[in-house]
Amino acid sequence: MTNYAIYRIAETIRVLLFLTLAIMIFNFYPVTAIMIVLLAIMNDGAMLAIAYDNVHYSIRPETWNMRQVLGISSLLGIFGVFPLLVSSTSV
């Protein structure tokens, strides 16, 4: 579950940050509504691998360290935007 939460939060931050920066910096809308729906559907395909992850379960319920989950996913989401911006400015 932790891997799933980190991945989903990071991807959401990355997509939202990229779209916001693309609109503000380049003054164009990089995707249409259909593209956003397709992106969401295709992004969920990557989650199938995490759904079949072999994890050893514990008898006691796991506690989440939300600072760690949000910190890691925020860093992954923010740093995931930089290669996209660099590649789009060099074109």
Side-chain angles (χ1 to χ4, degrees):
M1 279 310 288
T2 305
N3 291 340
Y4 176 79
I6 289 173
Y7 179 79
R8 292 308 285 166
I9 295 169
E11 284 299 308
T12 302
I13 291 171
R14 187 178 64 87
V15 169
L16 290 177
L17 190 60
F18 175 72
L19 292 176
T20 302
L21 290 175
I23 291 169
M24 290 173 54
I25 294 172
F26 302 114
N27 198 21
F28 80 101
Y29 297 91
V31 292
T32 63
I34 299 285
M35 290 177 175
I36 291 173
V37 170
L38 288 175
L39 178 68
I41 291 171
M42 292 165 66
N43 196 16
D44 287 338
M47 295 313 302
L48 292 175
I50 293 176
Y52 293 104
D53 191 13
N54 293 324
V55 177
H56 299 289
Y57 63 91
S58 67
I59 296 172
R60 298 180 66 203
E62 298 288 333
T63 59
W64 287 35
N65 184 351
M66 287 309 292
R67 286 185 182 207
Q68 181 183 17
V69 169
L70 291 175
I72 291 171
S73 58
S74 296
L75 286 175
L76 289 173
I78 291 169
F79 286 123
V81 172
F82 290 120
L84 297 172
L85 289 177
V86 170
S87 66
S88 62
T89 57
S90 63
V91 175

